[in-house]
Amino acid sequence: MADDNGGKPANGNVSENAPADAIETDTPVATKSNEIEDKPTSEKARDFVSAITPSKLSDEPVNNGEVEATNVSEAEGQVKKLPYPKSVFFIISNEFCERFNYYGMRTILVLYLSRQLDYSDDTATVIFHIFTMFVYFLCILGAIISDSWLGKFKTILYLSLVYVCGSVLITLGAIPPLNLPATTFTMLGLSLIALGSGGIKPCVSAFGGDQFKMPEQIKQMTTFFSLFYFSINAGSLISTTVTPILREDVACFGEKECYSLAFGVPAVLMAVSIVIFVLGRPLYKSKPPAGNMVVLVSKTIGNAISTKWKEKKTNPREHWLDYADKKYDRQLIEDVKVLMRVLVLYLPLPIFWALFDQQGSRWTFQATRMDGDMGSWDIKPDQLQVLNPLLILVFIPLYDVAFYPALSLIGIRRPLQKLTMGGILAGVAFIISGVVELELEKTYPITPSAGYIQLRIFNGIPDCSYTINSNLTGFEEIPINGFGKEFEHFIHLENTSVSVFYTIKEQKDCPKLSGGVYEFKEKTAYSIFLKDKINAQVPFIYREQMEKPSRANPLVRNLANIDADTDIVWKSHKSGDVESSKKADDRKIMELRATNYDVLVDNVEMQEAQLRHGGVYALIVGVANNGSTLTKLEEVIPPNSMNILWLVPQYVVMTLGEVMFSVTGLEFSYSQAPLAMKSVLQACWLLTVAFGNVIVVIVAEAKIFKSQASEFFLFAGLMFADMIVFMWVAYRYKPNNPILSESTQNLIDDQPETSKDASIAKNNNYDFQQREQQKQRVPRYTKRQQVD
């Protein structure tokens, strides 16, 4: 567009023969757009960047190639202000609903896998990270489908339908009355969600950018990307808070946790997102598919490798990519060389994401073994993940005004230095988590090792004492007082299993109890309940719970020595809801919520009992000599005693590292990429996230350590070693100047063969050529390839 200085070029470098419409600013519109999009960070930032990364924002013509001024007022610089496109509000609403679904499902996923589907913590961790890995791998597929085949609108619509089908399958599998194969439905649902979520990531934000007319609406588009990023964080923040509440605080279908509702609400939001997206169709501006840069780069690399394999002896070349020059443009090859140099820097980066993404797996399991009771409210283990988006919103502005100036005082100013510092902070976060785990292990129950059993004896007969005689070495005579847990010891066995003969001697005027024989096996905990009612005089012997409950909810067993038809009721003291009602002869262990209860025996309130997370309890019920019923709550395994807020420091340090690592990495990737390779390099950045999750899967499957703390320290060590390698690679890295590189290459490609004067003329005319390329937003080598 013309300037106000009488039509004189803004920079004075355009040749006199340049057409009038070639005069415009030196900064390409695509660059501004990408700078806007590279600001956010965190996993929400990765979602945001992946939404615009592989898509061809920088390769499509602005305004469909119509860049000339269309009227006199525009030619004079008086551009008429265009109305804000209403279509973007449908896109923003769609993104909010989709992110609510994704993060809501992901927040409770590992707990569902372990608690409902009975996977071990290791296996649940593996499934979680495989799912995350495919989400980021499939971003590339979504970009290819959109830019090479269907276009953005159809890609978003079709893959959203796949997405919602996956969410519905998981929800249906979590509804107990349907008796569907929950594991099969969950795995199929996760596969469809990975395809849908990963596939639409490269399209949604870029489709929103397509709704604006460039360059007239650059400010309006800036507002759009701010709103778009806000919708990502809002969806994440709300769903991360709400879905754990739906999971734990709502009972449905006779179960203590309502996963069907926790999955169902996000699934409904996903269906709503499709409706919202389709409603905006009459307002959308859609651009046809124009080819994908990722595909072009892949073809270039593939051609170079295959040609080198054939000609490496007969036609040696200086660089292996030079073998592709018979088919592909020289500028493309040079840009791919720059791309490959930067990718060498990326090789150590997946380790960071291996640590970062464990917030949703290992750190969540760690939280289940801690006490979330804050008095008036209770922090759920999966709810702690809300710290990340909250801290992100606090830290991003603080970095510019406080953190980066402070780091500059100690010499940390360059991007690669900041990347290194971000990785080191991630390692520090895992050292903190390892130390917390060591302290947490002190609260775990001690289980019997090889050659030992653990034995507890409960006496359900008040006012009566007994003596148990047996052939257990060292415990031939065990005195038992009246009522409650009267014995708890580890006992050595002579063999891996021993048949124990025992007799019971009663105190005067006490009921006579029968002896017997029972086989005890090593590394097992047993309990004996003495009683004189319900199968009278025969002690009840059973295998006892040895570890903290995997669901974190407390476990309780009613050990009643009263009439078999008597009801024992556990009623919430706060809400008055009946959590359990069983007959006295039902001694199966049961899972209850962590809260205060009123215990009722035969509709008579006996006591108030507090059940806490991670605890295993036995309720002893008996009848005294005076006929009164007595109850006593005994701890079998102590509840979680370490407060969940001890996890906050590791989240804070990890988020500090993430802001420094993610923001700097995105900006560095953008600045170092050749002008036409920015989307490709950002796509490669996202692939480091996928490979990071692969590392977690490998370590979890290897099961190197029995102690979780040792695994945390392993990851910390890997992170520190990785940063040492990264510093060495960064020291050898030669920074790339995309503008300078393209200028030099244009001189090489277009060098006249006649004289030096022609070369100078070509150099003077370069600025005009460059602005023309930026205005068209099509790489020169792409245009050449089309002509060829």
Side-chain angles (χ1 to χ4, degrees):
M1 289 170 38
D3 208 337
D4 291 332
N5 54 3
K8 185 179 179 180
N11 56 13
N13 291 332
V14 178
S15 68
E16 295 179 358
N17 295 327
D21 67 343
I23 303 172
E24 61 178 21
T25 61
D26 289 337
T27 304
V29 173
T31 302
K32 291 180 180 179
S33 173
N34 277 292
E35 286 174 350
I36 296 167
E37 297 156 12
D38 288 343
K39 291 300 180 186
T41 186
S42 84
E43 185 171 358
K44 273 62 69 183
R46 294 182 346 223
D47 297 331
F48 180 64
V49 174
S50 65
I52 55 92
T53 287
S55 192
K56 287 174 53 57
L57 277 179
S58 60
D59 298 338
E60 294 175 355
V62 177
N63 303 331
N64 297 323
E66 299 176 4
V67 294
E68 293 84 10
T70 56
N71 53 50
V72 175
S73 63
E74 289 184 6
E76 295 175 353
Q78 301 174 0
V79 180
K80 182 180 178 180
K81 185 176 181 180
L82 298 175
Y84 200 90
K86 297 181 177 61
S87 56
V88 300
F89 295 105
F90 291 92
I91 298 172
I92 290 171
S93 301
N94 164 270
E95 181 67 9
F96 170 83
C97 295
E98 188 273 327
R99 289 293 87 186
F100 186 102
N101 175 79
Y102 177 78
Y103 285 107
M105 179 278 301
R106 194 173 182 269
T107 297
I108 62 174
L109 179 58
V110 290
L111 297 184
Y112 177 69
L113 293 172
S114 63
R115 297 180 178 184
Q116 296 297 109
L117 302 185
D118 295 325
Y119 286 109
S120 67
D121 288 1
D122 285 340
T123 305
T125 298
V126 167
I127 294 172
F128 177 89
H129 287 283
I130 288 177
F131 166 72
T132 305
M133 173 194 71
F134 276 112
V135 167
Y136 284 94
F137 269 128
L138 291 171
C139 287
I140 306 300
L141 177 62
I144 294 172
I145 292 174
S146 170
D147 292 341
S148 304
W149 181 26
L150 294 178
K152 297 183 183 70
F153 175 82
K154 290 183 178 179
T155 301
I156 296 171
L157 178 59
Y158 296 161
L159 290 182
S160 291
L161 293 173
V162 173
Y163 195 155
V164 78
C165 287
S167 299
V168 170
L169 283 177
I170 293 179
T171 303
L172 292 176
I175 300 177
L178 297 180
N179 291 320
L180 297 172
T183 301
T184 302
F185 270 56
T186 300
M187 294 304 123
L188 181 58
L190 289 176
S191 300
L192 294 178
I193 290 174
L195 176 60
S197 177
I200 67 177
K201 277 178 185 290
C203 307
V204 181
S205 179
F207 188 59
D210 289 346
Q211 309 308 305
F212 296 86
K213 184 178 182 181
M214 292 293 108
E216 293 90 339
Q217 290 185 296
I218 183 66
K219 291 184 178 179
Q220 290 95 325
M221 190 170 72
T222 303
T223 305
F224 162 72
F225 284 122
S226 297
L227 290 173
F228 188 84
Y229 183 51
F230 176 82
S231 71
I232 291 174
N233 280 277
S236 167
L237 196 63
I238 296 174
S239 64
T240 305
T241 304
V242 170
T243 51
I245 295 174
L246 297 177
R247 172 189 64 80
E248 185 167 314
D249 292 348
V250 178
C252 59
F253 304 113
E255 295 195 347
K256 305 302 178 185
E257 293 181 315
C258 193
Y259 284 97
S260 54
L261 182 63
F263 285 131
V265 170
V268 170
L269 265 291
M270 187 61 217
V272 170
S273 75
I274 299 177
V275 174
I276 293 173
F277 185 70
V278 172
L279 287 176
R281 184 170 188 176
L283 303 175
Y284 295 144
K285 297 176 184 177
S286 298
K287 296 181 180 180
N292 188 277
M293 186 61 63
V294 176
V295 176
L296 182 60
V297 171
S298 300
K299 288 181 177 179
T300 304
I301 294 173
N303 180 263
I305 293 173
S306 61
T307 305
K308 180 182 178 181
W309 181 261
K310 299 175 184 177
E311 302 180 4
K312 61 182 177 180
K313 295 183 179 179
T314 59
N315 184 22
R317 310 298 292 271
E318 182 179 355
H319 193 281
W320 63 274
L321 278 168
D322 291 334
Y323 285 96
D325 61 1
K326 292 182 180 179
K327 185 175 181 180
Y328 294 97
D329 188 87
R330 169 54 57 181
Q331 178 64 54
L332 171 62
I333 294 172
E334 293 302 318
D335 285 350
V336 175
K337 288 180 181 179
V338 174
L339 178 71
M340 299 303 292
R341 290 205 306 270
V342 179
L343 290 185
V344 172
L345 274 176
Y346 282 6
L347 292 178
L349 302 187
I351 295 289
F352 175 87
W353 302 115
L355 274 65
F356 175 81
D357 278 332
Q358 290 187 62
Q359 293 178 89
S361 56
R362 292 299 197 196
W363 284 11
T364 299
F365 284 130
Q366 190 178 34
T368 64
R369 301 186 289 272
M370 305 184 78
D371 184 15
D373 185 9
M374 298 291 109
S376 59
W377 57 290
D378 188 52
I379 300 178
K380 281 70 176 173
D382 39 353
Q383 209 170 33
L384 207 62
Q385 296 177 56
V386 78
L387 280 175
N388 182 259
L390 281 176
L391 291 171
I392 285 293
L393 297 177
V394 174
F395 287 161
I396 286 180
L398 284 180
Y399 259 90
D400 290 332
V401 300
F403 296 152
Y404 283 143
L407 289 174
S408 65
L409 296 177
I410 59 174
I412 299 177
R413 301 182 183 89
R414 295 192 295 273
L416 296 182
Q417 291 176 322
K418 295 176 182 178
L419 271 170
T420 305
M421 178 60 68
I424 291 173
L425 286 173
V428 171
F430 263 67
I431 287 181
I432 296 173
S433 66
V435 172
V436 170
E437 185 66 25
L438 288 176
E439 291 299 312
L440 200 54
E441 287 177 356
K442 297 177 183 178
T443 68
Y444 296 164
I446 300 175
T447 57
S449 57
Y452 284 85
I453 63 167
Q454 187 178 30
L455 182 63
R456 295 179 181 88
I457 302 177
F458 299 95
N459 187 358
I461 308 173
D463 308 320
C464 282
S465 298
Y466 293 88
T467 299
I468 299 179
N469 298 297
S470 70
N471 59 333
L472 289 171
T473 304
F475 294 89
E476 290 81 3
E477 189 174 282
I478 304 174
I480 303 296
N481 295 322
F483 207 59
K485 183 176 68 177
E486 297 301 323
F487 181 85
E488 184 175 28
H489 283 279
F490 289 92
I491 301 176
H492 178 66
L493 300 182
E494 298 296 336
N495 300 301
T496 57
S497 64
V498 174
S499 294
V500 177
F501 299 86
Y502 65 93
T503 59
I504 302 175
K505 183 179 179 180
E506 71 280 2
Q507 192 182 39
K508 185 179 180 181
D509 298 329
C510 287
K512 184 177 179 62
L513 303 181
S514 302
V517 180
Y518 195 89
E519 184 177 6
F520 291 102
K521 296 182 179 180
E522 66 174 0
K523 298 192 294 186
T524 309
Y526 295 93
S527 288
I528 300 175
F529 177 52
L530 304 182
K531 58 185 178 57
D532 65 334
K533 296 179 174 62
I534 310 175
N535 297 326
Q537 289 80 44
V538 179
F540 176 56
I541 304 177
Y542 58 93
R543 290 193 177 190
E544 187 60 88
Q545 177 84 13
M546 292 197 300
E547 297 179 347
K548 286 182 175 293
S550 59
R551 299 171 183 266
N553 289 330
L555 300 179
V556 184
R557 190 189 305 270
N558 293 331
L559 295 178
N561 184 37
I562 55 179
D563 293 338
D565 292 333
T566 306
D567 292 319
I568 300 177
V569 176
W570 290 79
K571 185 172 68 173
S572 172
H573 183 77
K574 182 178 180 180
S575 65
D577 296 334
V578 174
E579 296 290 328
S580 170
S581 179
K582 290 188 175 185
K583 296 296 183 181
D585 60 348
D586 188 346
R587 301 191 182 99
K588 293 180 181 178
I589 199 164
M590 55 186 175
E591 179 182 337
L592 299 179
R593 299 176 187 273
T595 186
N596 289 351
Y597 288 91
D598 295 323
V599 180
L600 288 75
V601 178
D602 202 15
N603 294 323
V604 177
E605 184 175 327
M606 303 303 301
Q607 72 171 89
E608 182 179 338
Q610 183 184 33
L611 303 184
R612 296 170 57 192
H613 285 295
V616 179
Y617 303 87
L619 177 69
I620 314 300
V621 184
V623 180
N625 290 339
N626 61 7
S628 62
T629 301
L630 303 178
T631 60
K632 188 175 184 181
L633 188 68
E634 297 283 0
E635 281 187 2
V636 176
I637 294 177
N640 298 342
S641 57
M642 194 169 179
N643 196 282
I644 200 170
L645 294 182
W646 281 106
L647 294 179
V648 171
Q650 65 198 53
Y651 276 91
V652 171
V653 176
M654 176 61 79
T655 307
L656 283 170
E658 179 201 357
V659 174
M660 189 175 296
F661 190 92
S662 186
V663 167
T664 307
L666 294 172
E667 292 176 351
F668 176 82
S669 300
Y670 182 81
S671 66
Q672 292 299 291
L675 291 176
M677 292 286 176
K678 297 187 182 298
S679 63
V680 181
L681 197 56
Q682 296 283 13
C684 294
W685 169 265
L686 287 170
L687 286 180
T688 64
V689 180
F691 285 114
N693 284 272
V694 173
I695 293 171
V696 181
V697 170
I698 293 172
V699 173
E701 282 289 273
K703 299 179 180 178
I704 304 172
F705 305 106
K706 291 183 179 180
S707 169
Q708 184 60 61
S710 299
E711 185 176 299
F712 285 152
F713 290 132
L714 170 66
F715 275 108
L718 287 175
M719 189 73 253
F720 293 139
D722 185 65
M723 285 300 98
I724 292 174
V725 173
F726 180 76
M727 286 189 286
W728 179 77
V729 175
Y731 177 77
R732 296 171 57 89
Y733 176 73
K734 295 180 180 179
N736 175 52
N737 186 329
I739 299 294
L740 181 61
S741 298
E742 181 153 324
S743 175
T744 304
Q745 189 57 49
N746 275 317
L747 290 174
I748 295 174
D749 288 344
D750 301 325
Q751 181 73 29
E753 298 178 358
T754 55
S755 68
K756 183 176 180 180
D757 292 338
S759 175
I760 295 173
K762 191 62 119 178
N763 187 30
N764 290 335
N765 199 36
Y766 168 68
D767 287 333
F768 161 66
Q769 294 175 348
Q770 184 186 34
R771 283 191 298 275
E772 277 290 290
Q773 293 169 36
Q774 294 169 352
K775 183 172 61 179
Q776 295 292 337
R777 297 173 75 179
V778 178
R780 291 183 71 247
Y781 52 73
T782 303
K783 294 172 68 177
R784 283 187 178 184
Q785 189 64 28
Q786 291 169 352
V787 172
D788 292 341

